[in-house]
Every structure is written in C-alpha cells, then in structure tokens.
Amino acid sequence: MSEASSQTRRQKVVEKEQSIIAATRTVFREHGSENVKISEIAKLAGLAEGTVYIYFKNKNALLLAVATDFYEDLTRDAAKGIKELAGTSDRLRFLARHHFERVADEWPMIALAMSPYQASNEYRNTEGYQLNRKYVEVFDQVIRESVNRGEIREELPLNIIRDIFYGGLEYAARTMRLRSTKTDLDKAVDDFMLVFSSGIFRSGPPKGVASGSGDMEAVVARLEKVAATLEK
Amino acid sequence: MSEASSQTRRQKVVEKEQSIIAATRTVFREHGSENVKISEIAKLAGLAEGTVYIYFKNKNALLLAVATDFYEDLTRDAAKGIKELAGTSDRLRFLARHHFERVADEWPMIALAMSPYQASNEYRNTEGYQLNRKYVEVFDQVIRESVNRGEIREELPLNIIRDIFYGGLEYAARTMRLRSTKTDLDKAVDDFMLVFSSGIFRSGPPKGVASGSGDMEAVVARLEKVAATLEK
Amino acid sequence: MSEASSQTRRQKVVEKEQSIIAATRTVFREHGSENVKISEIAKLAGLAEGTVYIYFKNKNALLLAVATDFYEDLTRDAAKGIKELAGTSDRLRFLARHHFERVADEWPMIALAMSPYQASNEYRNTEGYQLNRKYVEVFDQVIRESVNRGEIREELPLNIIRDIFYGGLEYAARTMRLRSTKTDLDKAVDDFMLVFSSGIFRSGPPKGVASGSGDMEAVVARLEKVAATLEK
Amino acid sequence: MSEASSQTRRQKVVEKEQSIIAATRTVFREHGSENVKISEIAKLAGLAEGTVYIYFKNKNALLLAVATDFYEDLTRDAAKGIKELAGTSDRLRFLARHHFERVADEWPMIALAMSPYQASNEYRNTEGYQLNRKYVEVFDQVIRESVNRGEIREELPLNIIRDIFYGGLEYAARTMRLRSTKTDLDKAVDDFMLVFSSGIFRSGPPKGVASGSGDMEAVVARLEKVAATLEK
DNA sequence: CATGAATGAGGCTTCATTCAT
DNA sequence: GATGAATGAAGCCTCATTCAT
C-alpha cells in the first residue's frame, strides 16, 4: 500500500468517523437525548447499524467521541479568540459569546454524552472531566491574569467566578432557547456581561456600610446619578 | 360510606403516593439517574411493582409527581423564608443557601424527571415549566422589589439576573459535589453572593488600560449620549 | 404471607426452574449444541424469552444450572448404587452401566454447558470442575478401597484408571449412539468391564516374559486352544 | 498457459490454503474454540477476510478442511510408525504416544470442527466420520493382527477395545492439560499402557466372595505355567 | 486475484407494563 | 386494592458473508 493511499484511507476513516459523529449530534438535536439509538444514528448517517461498530467500539465510545470532538473545537476556538484580544473585558465578552452560541444548541447532548462519567465517584479521573478542565482552563487563565493586573478582586475564589460564568451562561442559553422570539444574541451577552462584571447592585450590596467617599466608585456612582437625572 | 371514611381513604392514598415518591427520590440519590427502575422503587417502598401502577399511570407520571412534589416543597420553603426576612441582601443570601442545599442532592433527579418535557417544543406549556416558573417567581419578586427600592440597577433584565443566580448556584453545587473535601457551605454561599452582588471587578470592568476604576468608558459613553440628546 | 403459601411459591419457582432446565436439555438433544438459543428454550418451555431471565441471570447461569442439576443427579445415584453393593466388580459394573446410560443421551450437552469453564486457565477453580470432582470421587473411593484390599495393583495411578474408565465409557456410548441398530446395553457393559478389568491381552502384554497372571477365562481359552493344537 | 505454470498456480493455491489452515489451528490453540473468527484467522494468515472466502466456500468448509488436514497427518504418521515396528506392544505404545501428543494440543479444535457433523443423524455418511474411520483403521489393523496371533483375547469386541484406547487417551490428555505441573509424557503413556494391557486387577476381577479354594491365584499361576510350557 | 468496508440477520438482555389471582 | 409473574418490544452488539474497487 503506497503512502499516499494510506493517507487517503486514513482520511476516509476520519471522514466517516466525523460523519457518524455529525449524525449523532443531529439525532441529539432532533430526537432529544432520550432517543439516541444506534439504529437512528446509523439511519441518519446512511449506514447499517453494524457499520457504526467498525468505527466506534460501542455506544459509550461514540458518545465520548462526540463530546471530545465538541470540546476540542470549543477549546481551540476559545483559546484562539483569547489570543487575539487584549483587555479582560473584551476577552470575557468573547468567551461568553462563544460559549453562549455553541452551548445553545449542543449542551444537552454533551450533558448526556458525559453523564455516565459524572455518575462515577471517580469522575475527576475520567476523560469527561479532563475535557472540561482543559476548556475552562482558558477562562481560568484570563481571570488569573486579570487578578494579577489588579483588576479583579483577589478575594474571590476562581471556582465561584467560573461557576457563575458558565452556569449563568448555560441557563441564559437555555432561557433563550425556550423563547420562541429570537432574542438578540449580542444584547443577551451584553446583559450577561454587565451583571457578571459589576454585580447586580447599584454600588456594592445594600444594607451595609455605604462604602467610602473619595473613592472612584463613589465618583462613578455620582456621575451615573447625574446621567440618570439628565436622561429623564 | 361515611364522609369520614372517605377522608381516611383519601389520606391513605396520599400517604402511599408519598411513600412511592420518597422511594423514588432515594433511588435517584443512591443508584444514579441511569438506574431508576420501577422494580427498584417498588422494592424500596415495600410494594409490588404492579402497585406502583395503581397510584401512577406510568413511569413518566411518577417522575413528574416527584418533580412536582420537590418543586412545591422548594417553592413553599423559599416563599416562607423570604417572608421572614426584610433586606434584599439577606433575602438573596437565604435563597442562595436554600437552593444550594437542596439542589446539591437532588438536582440530577429533577433534571431527569423533567427531561422529557424539556425536549418538547412546547415546553413552556408543560407542567415542568410551570413548576419552575412558580419557584423562580419567589426570586423574581425579591428582585423586583429591590429594583423598585432603587437598590438594583434597573437596566439589568430580570432574566439574566435569574439565570446567573440559579445557573451559578447549580454549577457551584456541582463543583462542591465533585470535591471530595467537604467545603464549607456557608463559605461557598458567601463567596457566591459576593460575586453575584458586586461583580468580579474591583469597580466596574476595566477596558484595555487598567483604568483604575469604574467602567469609565461606559460612563463617558453614556454622558456623551446624554449630551447628544440634550443637543437636540 | 403464610408459611404454607411461601412453601407453595418456593415450590412453584423450583418447578419452573426445572421446566426451563428440562426444556434446555431437550433443545440440546434435538437441535444440537449449536442451536441452543434462549428463544428456542423459551418456546419449548412455553414461555416468553424474558421469563427465562426471571429464573436465571443469564444464559451461562442457565447452562451451569443444567449441568449442575445433571451432575447432582448423576452423583447421587452413583453413590446410592455403590452403597448397596459390596464387591469391587459389581460396584464398577454398576458405575459403568450407570454412566453409560446417562451419558449416552446427555453428554454433549454437559460438554457444551461447561465449555466456557474448561477454556479458563483457572478451570480447576470453576464450579464445572468441582461438579466433576464430586462425581468421580465416588469412583475413586471404590478404587481406593479395592486397592487397600489388595485387589488392584497399587502401582497404577488412580488418574489413569479413572481416565480410562470414563473416557472409554464416553467413547463407547458415542459409538453405540452412532449405530442405528440398538446394541444391547448389558452386553456392551460386559464387554467394557472385561477389557477394563483384565486388559486386552490374554495374559500380560506379549513381547515380554508372559508375566504373572491373567484371568481364568483367558487361561482356560488358551488351554483349550493348546489342547486343540495337540489333538492335531 | 503452459502446463508448468498451471502446476505452479496449483501449488500456490495449495500453499495459501495451507497457510489459512495453519492460521486457523493457531487461532484455535490460542483463542480457545469459542473465539475462532474469520477476522482473526485472516489477520494471522496475513490476508484480508474476503480472501479466505476465495479459498474456502464458507467457515464450515474451512473447519472441515482443517479437520481433514489434521486427520490425514495423524493417519499418515500413525500408519508409518506402525510399519516400522513389529510387536503389538510396541505398536500400541507408539499409537498411544502419538495420539496422546497430538490430541493434547489440538483435540478441542477437531471436536469443534466436526461438531456440526456429529449432530447429524447421518453422521456415518459424513466426511468427519470417514476421516475418523480411516484413522482408527490403523489401530484396528494392529489389533486384528494381534488377535490372529493369539495375543489378544478374541472374545473382546474391537469396538470396545478401540473406544477404551482412544477414549482413555483423550481423557488422560485432558487430565494432563489441566494439571499445571507438567507430567512426564512417557510416564503417562507407560501407565496408560499398563492398564490398557493388563487391566486393573492383580489377576482377574475379584468376585465378592473370594470364591476358590486355597488361593485362586496360585491355581491360575500353575495352569498358566503349564500352558506356557505346552505352547513351547 | 485480493481487498476490507459494509452489511444485516440474529443473538442476548432489560424493563415498563399488564393481568389473572 | 395488592400482587408479582409474565410479557414482548426494543436496544445493543457480533460476525459470517458479500461485493465494488
């Protein structure tokens, strides 16, 4: 077998794997995670059931491949986007939009594909966990850098920041999915970032010391008030 | 048949339903959402399999009942807790802790129990959706009130606030579950509230140049807009 | 549940297990070991396929139960027969006839039922091996006793004696099975015992000193031959 | 096409057939008779799966070819060995050793390869049966000759003698296979021949009551001596 | 001839649901 | 009402066999 033909063969295998993975994603999207049967996937990929097993050892392996594939894309694009941006705000906004978009369609699939791994007590050793780790690492780096620059309050645990970011995004994506009226994606991301960045309160949580004067925050608050008055 | 005996009968039925629901929850917790079999539930409830079908039309109906039951509890307790507290901060903190606690154990169950309903395009008409609406309504009220009091920035859509709150909490709960070391629940809630209340940035998101504070640019932009408006 | 009804239930279970085991044996006999499918067994037992799995965990468990059942019968009857007989000759003849009869029909089944166990390198730890051990132990005891009484040459390893006994019987049974003409069972056992007891040679293997002994009949036969020769 | 090239072609075909047969044997030995897949055989033979079907009509045909090949070897070697030996004892010992050796490794394969044929009611017409006939014919000849020479008691049916010989050997081989401690092959054959030749009893089967007057054995010994003398 | 990807029949097994007792 | 044995549809997976290249 010539090297060229081997190349071609390898390519064909990869292509077919990809087509099965693609079919699996489609089944998830269109049939709901309950009805992800090999028979359905095969039908959509235009193959016999047995053929799926040539390319994937069993159903779990296929689902894991789907998740891996998805995550790798996600992680690559996230990392690339970050590199091209400098400021923390822009970076986070990019990550939010990126995640929002991708996740809107495919998260349920990922959730199911990885559910057997989450069940395990040893989840942290599973491939599913590792994939997720690598993905969020991009976010974590952005945050760490920003903390080092003194932009982010260092008393906030990274875990919490991350959970709010991704948990919030997932829910927001779900909410958007449920609304028949197509909300503007950019608007949604703007709003999300607004809350994520500055919290919900006008200026620090109420019901506490009314935070100092002389500090920047107070100035901003005052200006904002003026602005608000003027706007009326 | 006397009314009293009918009462008693009704009570007995409710009791049995409750015992089946309780058994179902236990199975979820102990066997993981993959392995929730009627046989297992019946065994735990001390009943024959067939008996389950006397009280619930089918498995889906049972799961929905479990979810309903869970949500009603959740909603009642949330509403009650709110009533006993006055300040927004305290109320949100209470809701956060309450959700965190409950969700940590039982969310996987709820997710599965409602998954057939989420699949539907008509999700918003489903009972699952309605249950969720009622629950988050408690949160929504707290926020609306606070907005009215001028504590919360009114430009923030309630949806986003809510998604970040619950999405963030769910992820935080999941993170905690995955860690073998039992993190302190109160500490976690504190941290969560810190971010949720005041955002991640020291004072407004930075913008490229680590401009000390506030979202200076945003403020400027807004002021310019106001100026423009005034010019007209 | 009353004790009596529990008794009855237990009985019913045992009965059904037995009927499935019986059906399995029949399938073996009539369809050949290639076609022992659960579907076939269920059909013969008048049950749905799923029902088989109520009584046996899986196909292997069923086959093992069949083998166990068979062996236990075999062993019990063998032991019982031995107890009622005194002389070694009679005992061995009984064991031979007993084995011959039983094995003629069912050995192929047993062989298959236990084949997964024989494959293992750890065969000696398997249940299949243990069943066989217990069975041949009856034979072994007869031989040991006889050796102690000085009837059997003690230089012969028990292993070899046993292998020749059971191996020979199995082959003889197979031979008989293959012949359409129904050979007389007693005659076959007689012949078998003759060879087993006294070996094939008239008196010790030829090509050496015509050692030791030999059996009476053979000697008489030879003497007659000699007489005949002399008469010429 | 020249005759020579046709010859060559034929040779090539035979070679390839042989390589497939050899691969099949190896698979049997190494994977156990349960897991003999065409894919495995092809891999071992360095061929594609489809190629196997060029040389053999189907799996059964291949297995039969394997059995045939094996039997032909076995028979040829047996016949050759016999020709080079004169005495019955030596000949039988040779056959025993020969069979023992070969069978130890490969019998499971043969058993499986021929099992579809044994199932048949028409087994005696099958190729499997014929192969076996030819093989044991070598043994049968040795016995018949010996009977004619008066060494073997003519009242013993050849069938029984043969069944005990081969059945005993097969079991003995199996026993040896199961023991982790590698028993000495020659010792095993010696022991086997001892029992096979002279039976298990010291001198004729005992008969419950030690019948005779004086000592039966002594009488026999005396008569035998007379017989021996007369024979000379 | 050789290939090996594709096929699909058919086996095993699970489990929600039913129904005679 | 309660039972739980029985059902059978349906899913996963294997592997002998075929066929276009």
Side-chain angles (χ1 to χ4, degrees):
Chain A
M1 203 180 302
S2 77
E3 203 168 287
S5 101
S6 170
Q7 269 277 349
T8 306
R9 179 149 314 158
R10 183 83 205 114
Q11 274 178 6
K12 267 188 188 163
V13 166
V14 169
E15 264 169 40
K16 199 141 249 169
E17 277 176 5
Q18 284 303 325
S19 86
I20 294 171
I21 287 175
T24 306
R25 286 201 192 181
T26 306
V27 172
F28 263 104
R29 247 180 273 118
E30 306 194 346
H31 292 61
S33 37
E34 302 283 86
N35 295 311
V36 181
K37 305 159 203 169
I38 294 291
S39 61
E40 212 65 42
I41 292 168
K43 198 195 296 171
L44 231 97
L47 299 171
E49 281 187 58
T51 308
V52 174
Y53 288 87
I54 295 172
Y55 295 91
F56 299 94
K57 190 190 151 204
N58 55 30
K59 195 182 173 183
N60 255 337
L62 169 57
L63 295 186
L64 187 57
V66 169
T68 301
D69 191 72
F70 179 73
Y71 258 121
E72 281 173 356
D73 264 26
L74 208 60
T75 304
R76 182 171 9 81
D77 292 351
K80 195 174 136 222
I82 289 317
K83 242 178 245 162
E84 292 166 0
L85 294 169
T88 304
S89 260
D90 288 351
R91 284 176 160 185
L92 290 180
R93 203 183 178 290
F94 166 80
L95 285 181
R97 198 183 196 292
H98 171 254
H99 190 82
F100 207 132
E101 260 177 324
R102 303 285 185 109
V103 146
D105 284 344
E106 314 234 25
W107 203 253
M109 161 188 64
I110 296 309
L112 184 81
M114 309 214 311
S115 66
Y117 300 90
Q118 296 193 11
S120 153
N121 289 335
E122 300 296 322
Y123 173 61
R124 304 183 73 174
N125 301 325
T126 63
E127 186 155 359
Y129 181 72
Q130 296 307 325
L131 287 169
N132 188 66
R133 287 301 308 177
K134 272 182 208 147
Y135 175 49
V136 299
E137 185 57 33
V138 175
F139 174 84
D140 287 4
Q141 280 303 342
V142 170
I143 298 299
R144 281 199 209 96
E145 248 182 67
S146 187
V147 169
N148 287 341
R149 281 197 224 132
E151 296 162 357
I152 290 177
R153 295 182 279 161
E154 61 245 8
E155 72 272 21
L156 306 178
L158 182 48
N159 278 327
I160 292 287
I161 296 177
R162 190 199 307 127
D163 288 335
I164 287 187
F165 188 77
Y166 285 107
L169 283 172
E170 190 183 322
Y171 268 49
R174 191 152 71 83
T175 297
M176 207 167 128
R177 215 163 46 236
L178 291 176
R179 309 199 162 191
S180 15
T181 60
K182 285 293 155 199
T183 326
D184 181 22
L185 178 60
D186 281 309
K187 175 63 165 58
V189 173
D190 279 346
D191 290 338
F192 176 83
M193 286 309 296
L194 203 55
V195 178
F196 181 70
S197 301
S198 324
I200 59 167
F201 290 123
R202 243 172 231 294
S203 60
K207 240 3 204 246
V209 190
S211 79
S213 72
D215 83 2
M216 201 51 168
E217 225 171 302
V219 177
V220 173
R222 245 188 304 143
L223 284 176
E224 283 189 332
K225 236 178 186 167
V226 174
T229 312
L230 288 177
E231 276 177 346
K232 287 176 201 159
Chain B
M1 210 172 296
S2 77
E3 202 167 289
S5 104
S6 169
Q7 267 280 346
T8 307
R9 178 156 309 162
R10 182 84 204 113
Q11 273 178 5
K12 268 188 188 164
V13 166
V14 170
E15 263 170 40
K16 207 147 232 170
E17 278 174 5
Q18 284 303 322
S19 85
I20 294 170
I21 287 173
T24 306
R25 285 202 195 181
T26 306
V27 172
F28 263 104
R29 245 179 274 117
E30 305 193 349
H31 292 62
S33 40
E34 302 282 86
N35 296 310
V36 180
K37 304 166 202 165
I38 294 291
S39 61
E40 212 65 41
I41 292 168
K43 197 197 296 171
L44 233 94
L47 299 171
E49 293 177 50
T51 309
V52 173
Y53 285 84
I54 294 169
Y55 295 90
F56 299 93
K57 189 192 150 202
N58 56 29
K59 195 181 177 184
N60 258 336
L62 169 57
L63 294 187
L64 187 57
V66 169
T68 302
D69 190 74
F70 178 73
Y71 261 121
E72 283 172 355
D73 264 25
L74 208 60
T75 305
R76 181 172 9 83
D77 292 352
K80 193 174 137 222
I82 290 317
K83 242 177 245 164
E84 292 166 1
L85 293 169
T88 304
S89 260
D90 288 351
R91 285 175 159 186
L92 290 180
R93 204 184 178 287
F94 166 80
L95 287 180
R97 200 184 194 291
H98 171 254
H99 190 82
F100 207 132
E101 260 176 324
R102 302 286 185 108
V103 147
D105 285 344
E106 314 232 26
W107 202 253
M109 162 188 64
I110 296 309
L112 184 80
M114 308 216 311
S115 66
Y117 300 91
Q118 296 193 11
S120 154
N121 289 336
E122 301 296 321
Y123 173 61
R124 303 183 73 175
N125 301 326
T126 63
E127 186 155 359
Y129 181 72
Q130 296 307 326
L131 288 168
N132 188 66
R133 289 301 308 179
K134 272 181 210 149
Y135 174 50
V136 299
E137 185 56 35
V138 176
F139 174 84
D140 288 3
Q141 279 304 342
V142 170
I143 297 298
R144 281 201 208 95
E145 248 182 67
S146 185
V147 168
N148 287 342
R149 281 195 226 135
E151 296 162 356
I152 290 178
R153 294 182 280 160
E154 62 245 9
E155 72 273 20
L156 305 178
L158 181 49
N159 277 328
I160 291 288
I161 297 178
R162 190 200 307 127
D163 288 334
I164 287 187
F165 189 76
Y166 286 108
L169 283 172
E170 191 184 322
Y171 267 50
R174 190 154 70 83
T175 298
M176 207 165 130
R177 219 162 43 236
L178 292 176
R179 309 201 161 191
S180 20
T181 60
K182 287 293 155 200
T183 326
D184 182 24
L185 178 61
D186 282 308
K187 173 65 167 56
V189 173
D190 280 347
D191 290 338
F192 176 83
M193 286 309 297
L194 202 56
V195 179
F196 181 70
S197 302
S198 326
I200 59 167
F201 290 122
R202 246 172 230 292
S203 60
K207 204 57 184 253
V209 192
S211 71
S213 65
D215 190 345
M216 203 51 162
E217 233 174 294
V219 174
V220 170
R222 220 158 1 121
L223 286 174
E224 278 172 355
K225 227 177 187 177
V226 174
T229 309
L230 290 177
E231 277 173 357
K232 288 180 201 160
Chain C
M1 204 179 302
S2 77
E3 203 167 287
S5 100
S6 170
Q7 268 277 350
T8 306
R9 178 148 316 157
R10 182 84 205 113
Q11 273 178 6
K12 267 188 188 164
V13 166
V14 170
E15 264 168 41
K16 200 140 248 169
E17 278 175 4
Q18 285 301 324
S19 86
I20 293 170
I21 287 174
T24 306
R25 286 200 192 182
T26 305
V27 172
F28 264 104
R29 246 180 273 117
E30 306 195 347
H31 292 61
S33 38
E34 302 283 86
N35 295 311
V36 181
K37 305 159 204 169
I38 294 292
S39 62
E40 212 65 42
I41 292 167
K43 199 196 295 172
L44 230 97
L47 299 171
E49 282 186 58
T51 308
V52 174
Y53 287 85
I54 295 172
Y55 295 91
F56 299 94
K57 191 191 151 203
N58 55 30
K59 196 181 174 184
N60 255 338
L62 169 57
L63 294 187
L64 187 56
V66 169
T68 301
D69 191 72
F70 179 73
Y71 259 121
E72 280 173 355
D73 264 24
L74 208 61
T75 304
R76 181 171 11 80
D77 292 351
K80 194 173 137 224
I82 289 317
K83 241 178 247 163
E84 292 166 0
L85 293 169
T88 303
S89 260
D90 288 350
R91 283 174 161 187
L92 290 179
R93 203 185 177 288
F94 165 80
L95 286 181
R97 199 185 196 290
H98 171 254
H99 191 82
F100 207 132
E101 261 176 324
R102 302 286 184 108
V103 147
D105 284 344
E106 314 234 26
W107 203 253
M109 162 189 62
I110 297 308
L112 185 81
M114 307 214 311
S115 66
Y117 300 91
Q118 296 193 12
S120 154
N121 289 335
E122 300 295 321
Y123 173 61
R124 303 183 74 174
N125 301 326
T126 65
E127 186 154 358
Y129 181 71
Q130 296 308 326
L131 287 169
N132 188 66
R133 288 300 309 177
K134 271 182 209 148
Y135 175 48
V136 299
E137 185 56 34
V138 175
F139 174 85
D140 288 3
Q141 280 301 345
V142 170
I143 298 299
R144 281 198 209 97
E145 248 182 69
S146 187
V147 169
N148 287 341
R149 282 198 225 130
E151 295 162 357
I152 290 179
R153 293 182 281 159
E154 61 244 9
E155 72 270 23
L156 306 176
L158 182 48
N159 278 327
I160 292 286
I161 296 177
R162 191 199 307 126
D163 288 335
I164 288 186
F165 189 76
Y166 286 108
L169 282 171
E170 191 185 322
Y171 268 49
R174 190 152 70 83
T175 298
M176 206 165 130
R177 215 163 46 237
L178 292 176
R179 310 199 162 191
S180 16
T181 60
K182 286 293 153 200
T183 325
D184 182 22
L185 179 59
D186 282 309
K187 174 64 165 59
V189 173
D190 279 347
D191 290 339
F192 176 83
M193 287 308 298
L194 203 54
V195 179
F196 181 71
S197 301
S198 326
I200 58 167
F201 290 123
R202 250 172 224 293
S203 60
K207 234 11 207 230
V209 191
S211 76
S213 54
D215 80 3
M216 200 54 166
E217 236 175 290
V219 175
V220 170
R222 220 153 9 117
L223 285 174
E224 280 173 354
K225 223 176 190 178
V226 174
T229 309
L230 289 177
E231 278 172 358
K232 286 180 201 161
Chain D
M1 213 172 293
S2 76
E3 203 168 287
S5 103
S6 169
Q7 268 278 348
T8 307
R9 177 156 310 164
R10 181 85 204 114
Q11 273 178 3
K12 268 187 188 165
V13 165
V14 169
E15 263 169 40
K16 206 145 233 170
E17 278 175 5
Q18 284 302 322
S19 85
I20 294 171
I21 287 173
T24 306
R25 285 203 194 179
T26 306
V27 172
F28 262 105
R29 245 179 274 116
E30 305 193 347
H31 291 62
S33 39
E34 303 282 88
N35 295 309
V36 180
K37 304 165 202 166
I38 294 292
S39 60
E40 213 65 42
I41 292 168
K43 197 196 295 172
L44 234 93
L47 298 171
E49 292 178 50
T51 309
V52 173
Y53 285 84
I54 294 170
Y55 294 91
F56 299 93
K57 188 192 153 201
N58 56 29
K59 195 181 177 182
N60 257 338
L62 168 56
L63 294 186
L64 186 56
V66 169
T68 301
D69 189 74
F70 178 73
Y71 260 121
E72 282 173 354
D73 264 25
L74 208 61
T75 305
R76 180 170 11 81
D77 292 352
K80 194 174 138 222
I82 290 316
K83 241 178 245 162
E84 292 167 1
L85 294 168
T88 304
S89 259
D90 288 351
R91 284 175 160 186
L92 291 179
R93 203 183 179 290
F94 166 80
L95 286 180
R97 199 183 195 292
H98 171 254
H99 190 82
F100 207 132
E101 260 177 325
R102 302 286 186 110
V103 147
D105 285 344
E106 314 232 26
W107 202 253
M109 162 188 63
I110 297 308
L112 184 80
M114 310 216 309
S115 66
Y117 300 91
Q118 296 194 11
S120 154
N121 289 334
E122 300 298 321
Y123 174 61
R124 302 182 75 177
N125 301 325
T126 63
E127 186 155 357
Y129 180 71
Q130 296 309 325
L131 287 169
N132 188 66
R133 288 301 307 177
K134 271 182 210 148
Y135 174 48
V136 298
E137 186 55 36
V138 175
F139 175 85
D140 287 4
Q141 280 303 343
V142 170
I143 297 298
R144 281 201 208 94
E145 248 183 67
S146 186
V147 168
N148 287 341
R149 281 197 226 134
E151 295 162 356
I152 290 178
R153 296 180 280 160
E154 63 245 10
E155 72 273 19
L156 306 177
L158 181 48
N159 277 329
I160 292 288
I161 296 177
R162 189 200 308 127
D163 289 334
I164 287 187
F165 189 75
Y166 286 107
L169 282 172
E170 191 184 322
Y171 268 49
R174 191 153 71 81
T175 298
M176 207 165 130
R177 218 165 41 239
L178 292 177
R179 309 200 161 191
S180 21
T181 60
K182 287 292 155 201
T183 326
D184 181 24
L185 178 60
D186 282 308
K187 174 64 166 57
V189 173
D190 280 347
D191 289 338
F192 176 83
M193 288 307 299
L194 202 55
V195 179
F196 182 72
S197 302
S198 328
I200 59 167
F201 290 123
R202 241 173 236 293
S203 61
K207 205 57 184 256
V209 193
S211 72
S213 69
D215 181 347
M216 199 51 165
E217 223 173 305
V219 177
V220 173
R222 242 187 308 142
L223 285 175
E224 281 191 330
K225 238 176 187 169
V226 175
T229 310
L230 289 177
E231 276 177 346
K232 286 177 202 161

